[in-house]
Amino acid sequence: MTAASLARLAGLLADPTRAAFCLALLDGRAWTAGELARHSRVAPATATEHLHKLVAGGLLSDRRQGRHRYVRLADPRVAELIEELASRLPPAESVGTLR
């Protein structure tokens, strides 16, 4: 691993919208882009752009089912990473208050 690759990975989670997607996906189910857009209060096109980055970065996986595209955390290690990072937040910034 290089410093640049670590910075790229951290950058994926540094955006509040992408972080909100990852936190929502900790529930273990697959969500559509539209569901994540509504959850995070962003436009569907914005959600799609962020999801492409998360999939390309290996944090999410996607699958098509009919006309819908479902995304989920790529694997349990991604969930562990997000949970570990969230555990490092100050108590006043609990996961439930993050957007």
Side-chain angles (χ1 to χ4, degrees), residues 30-99:
W31 293 48
T32 65
E35 290 171 327
L36 287 168
R38 284 187 296 281
H39 173 79
S40 301
R41 297 185 176 110
V42 297
T46 301
T48 298
E49 180 182 332
H50 285 298
L51 290 172
H52 284 300
K53 290 178 182 180
L54 290 166
V55 170
L59 294 178
L60 301 184
S61 63
D62 64 346
R63 68 175 167 80
R64 286 235 180 253
Q65 186 174 356
R67 62 185 198 127
H68 295 286
R69 174 182 174 220
Y70 290 89
V71 295
R72 64 178 33 197
L73 296 177
D75 58 54
R77 293 180 337 180
V78 174
E80 291 169 9
L81 171 66
I82 294 165
E83 289 171 343
E84 178 64 26
L85 289 171
S87 76
R88 305 274 179 185
L89 294 172
E93 295 186 45
S94 69
V95 172
T97 63
L98 295 177
R99 181 166 121 39

